[in-house]
Amino acid sequence: MSSAGTREAPMLNDSTDEVPLVESVHDETEQPAAAEEPEAPKPKPKQARPKVHRTEAEKAALKKQLEEFYQKYNADLLEGNHIDKIIDLGLPDRELFARLRAKYELDDDDDYSPHPQLADAADTEAPAVEEAPKALMPRVKDHMARKYSSYTTALLVPVSITMCIVVWAVTNFTPISQLQDSRPAYLYYKEKETDSSGAKFGGALLNALLIVAFIFLLTFIMVLLYKYRCMKILAGWLMLSTTLVLFFFGWIWFDLFCTKYQIPYDTFTAAFILFNFGSVGVMCIYFRGHPMMTQGYLIASSAIMAWWLTRLPEWTTWVLLFAVAAYDVFAVLSPKGPLKTLVEESQNRAEPIPGLVYESKQYKLGLGDFVFYSVLVGRAAKYTYLTWVVSFVAVLAGLCGTLFSLGMFKKALPALPFSIALGIVFYFTTRYFVVPYAMLPSTLGRPW
């Protein structure tokens, strides 16, 4: 007689109704022994591995680890009681996470030591685990790809909108602005067309260093106010800055818009519109407002400031962008960098970082990054449409590279270096090696 038995236990699966672990035991098929040969003795079976009985504190710690794992690799399984079913299996931590990592095709590690109850269980036999069906892996990978692509898109869209607004403003407002030929009073060097290239570069470098030093001073003061809990002073400072941008610069944009499109207005109407625009903006950003309105005002503030900075002389603009990107690396990655200190202080206190920050699902990006991305593209738009389109794509590609690096290193990274470097390289490459040949047919009388 021959017999075979199979019994199934719960399995670690991707559904919330089942928990996937399969255990199978196969009895050896008995064959009739030959008359001349005695039956070979069967090996003594090993005892089944005992279940781990965890305390409530251990269950809570394990549940937190599983929630972090599924939040990272399959957030859909956080709903329901899927995690509780896994904990009830009584598997040791090391074996449980080894199976999860094998299922999701992750690199194994030895971070989880055996449970004390299994320290002397070397002679016990762990149940044979059925490998996760390969058919499930494409679905899990597709889900993760869609999740992270949605995170990235949610940040690329507002950055793209800001840059497009600045390009539109440079094209339509700058030519009719009375400020187009003026230079900011805070610049030490006043660039002139008759100056030599060496003089322009030296003056631009001096201007850039002064502006970066001013940015460092402001950041240092912000860190001190946050570290010593002067939150009311910090909040008042930021609110005053936002009020200036929305009211004063908003008035300039309103006037230029009406001038460009020949829209008549009176002082009372303009004051009423700007008062509501600025008041609602401050309310949404610092107090309470619909998330879409808050994001819209953050984009508007970034676009207004970026357009204003496009007034800088050309040489000063490019040197400043390079200097700001270098400063961003120091501020974020240096052990004593101001932004790194601010992030660590915020994590220790479990409080959000104050300031103008655009939050998009899993990522946060400072409005300063929005501003300097747009300054680069806005400056490129002053030359020709081809240069700003190429710079636009280069900035977005650099931002994607930054987000990819963020997923690899799992820590705060500077958002400017990749985008600014690619934008500058592609701008000058297009300007000096592509535009002359692209415009050549039109100079010869043929359409391009």
Side-chain angles (χ1 to χ4, degrees):
M1 297 291 294
S2 64
S3 63
T6 303
R7 57 188 180 91
E8 298 185 357
M11 301 172 36
L12 283 174
N13 203 346
D14 279 342
S15 65
T16 56
D17 298 330
E18 297 182 359
V19 184
L21 281 166
V22 175
E23 171 186 355
S24 31
V25 178
H26 299 281
D27 295 332
E28 296 292 339
T29 304
E30 297 181 358
Q31 300 292 342
E36 64 276 11
E37 295 181 1
E39 182 178 359
K42 295 182 180 180
K44 183 179 180 181
K46 293 184 178 181
Q47 299 179 354
R49 182 184 294 271
K51 291 181 63 175
V52 174
H53 298 285
R54 296 181 172 87
T55 63
E56 293 299 324
E58 291 175 334
K59 288 183 179 179
L62 178 59
K63 185 174 182 179
K64 183 178 180 181
Q65 289 180 309
L66 289 172
E67 287 175 347
E68 293 176 354
F69 182 90
Y70 280 111
Q71 180 67 36
K72 184 176 181 181
Y73 296 107
N74 197 350
D76 291 343
L77 296 184
L78 291 175
E79 301 177 359
N81 58 347
H82 180 77
I83 294 180
D84 294 331
K85 291 182 179 179
I86 295 178
I87 296 176
D88 292 340
L89 293 176
L91 290 175
D93 295 5
R94 183 174 182 177
E95 182 178 352
L96 174 60
F97 283 95
R99 297 187 185 194
L100 286 173
R101 288 190 294 270
K103 178 177 180 179
Y104 288 92
E105 297 184 350
L106 306 175
D107 294 333
D108 200 0
D109 55 40
D110 295 324
D111 293 340
Y112 301 97
S113 57
H115 192 275
Q117 295 180 13
L118 302 181
D120 300 329
D123 295 336
T124 61
E125 181 180 12
V129 179
E130 189 175 55
E131 189 173 339
K134 295 297 182 181
L136 294 178
M137 297 312 301
R139 180 173 63 83
V140 174
K141 292 181 178 179
D142 290 344
H143 169 76
M144 295 172 60
R146 287 194 301 268
K147 180 178 68 174
Y148 286 107
S149 63
S150 66
Y151 292 163
T152 303
T153 304
L155 193 58
L156 294 181
V157 169
V159 171
S160 301
I161 293 174
T162 306
M163 292 191 294
C164 288
I165 292 175
V166 173
V167 170
W168 174 81
V170 167
T171 305
N172 293 276
F173 291 168
T174 300
I176 64 175
S177 173
Q178 297 179 357
L179 301 173
Q180 61 175 333
D181 297 326
S182 64
R183 293 293 179 262
Y186 50 81
L187 294 183
Y188 178 81
Y189 168 71
K190 308 296 183 180
E191 184 178 318
K192 300 178 182 178
E193 294 294 336
T194 57
D195 293 343
S196 64
S197 298
K200 290 180 180 179
F201 177 77
L205 181 60
L206 182 58
N207 288 339
L209 291 177
L210 290 176
I211 296 175
V212 170
F214 181 70
I215 294 174
F216 173 78
L217 178 62
L218 294 180
T219 308
F220 181 74
I221 294 175
M222 179 181 292
V223 172
L224 288 181
L225 292 176
Y226 184 75
K227 183 177 181 63
Y228 293 101
R229 300 182 181 273
C230 303
M231 303 305 295
K232 292 184 178 180
I233 299 177
L234 182 58
W237 175 23
L238 295 174
M239 289 178 60
L240 181 62
S241 303
T242 305
T243 302
L244 177 65
V245 171
L246 294 179
F247 281 91
F248 178 72
F249 293 104
W251 168 268
I252 296 176
W253 270 42
F254 179 80
D255 179 69
L256 291 175
F257 181 84
C258 293
T259 303
K260 170 68 178 179
Y261 296 101
Q262 298 297 304
I263 302 174
Y265 68 91
D266 57 73
T267 304
F268 176 79
T269 303
F272 177 78
I273 294 174
L274 289 173
F275 176 78
N276 285 275
F277 174 76
S279 301
V280 174
V282 173
M283 182 68 66
C284 290
I285 294 175
Y286 293 103
F287 296 99
R288 195 172 194 180
H290 192 277
M292 293 188 65
M293 291 189 64
T294 303
Q295 293 173 352
Y297 272 105
L298 292 174
I299 291 174
S301 302
S302 302
I304 292 173
M305 286 302 302
W307 173 78
W308 184 258
L309 290 176
T310 58
R311 298 172 52 234
L312 294 174
E314 183 176 10
W315 282 74
T316 299
T317 300
W318 295 115
V319 177
L320 174 63
L321 289 172
F322 180 84
V324 168
Y327 167 75
D328 197 26
V329 174
F330 160 76
V332 177
L333 299 182
S334 174
K336 298 299 182 180
L339 293 181
K340 183 179 179 64
T341 303
L342 189 62
V343 170
E344 292 177 350
E345 185 70 18
S346 174
Q347 292 175 347
N348 293 336
R349 291 161 52 173
E351 295 179 358
I353 299 176
L356 298 174
V357 178
Y358 188 97
E359 297 187 17
S360 176
K361 293 186 178 181
Q362 197 176 17
Y363 301 120
K364 296 181 180 180
L365 192 64
L367 291 198
D369 301 319
F370 279 73
V371 170
F372 286 107
Y373 293 159
S374 303
V375 168
L376 190 153
V377 178
R379 168 52 66 175
K382 288 188 173 184
Y383 189 73
T384 180
Y385 72 92
L386 192 58
T387 51
W388 83 256
V389 170
V390 172
S391 301
F392 180 92
V393 175
V395 167
L396 294 183
L399 181 56
C400 290
T402 302
L403 297 179
F404 177 77
S405 302
L406 188 65
M408 291 182 58
F409 295 102
K410 306 295 183 184
K411 65 177 183 178
L413 294 176
L416 289 179
F418 283 172
S419 295
I420 296 299
L422 287 178
I424 291 176
V425 169
F426 277 88
Y427 169 80
F428 285 102
T429 301
T430 304
R431 176 172 177 174
Y432 292 105
F433 296 100
V434 177
V435 171
Y437 297 98
M439 298 302 178
L440 183 60
S442 61
T443 61
L444 297 178
R446 296 191 299 270
W448 180 61

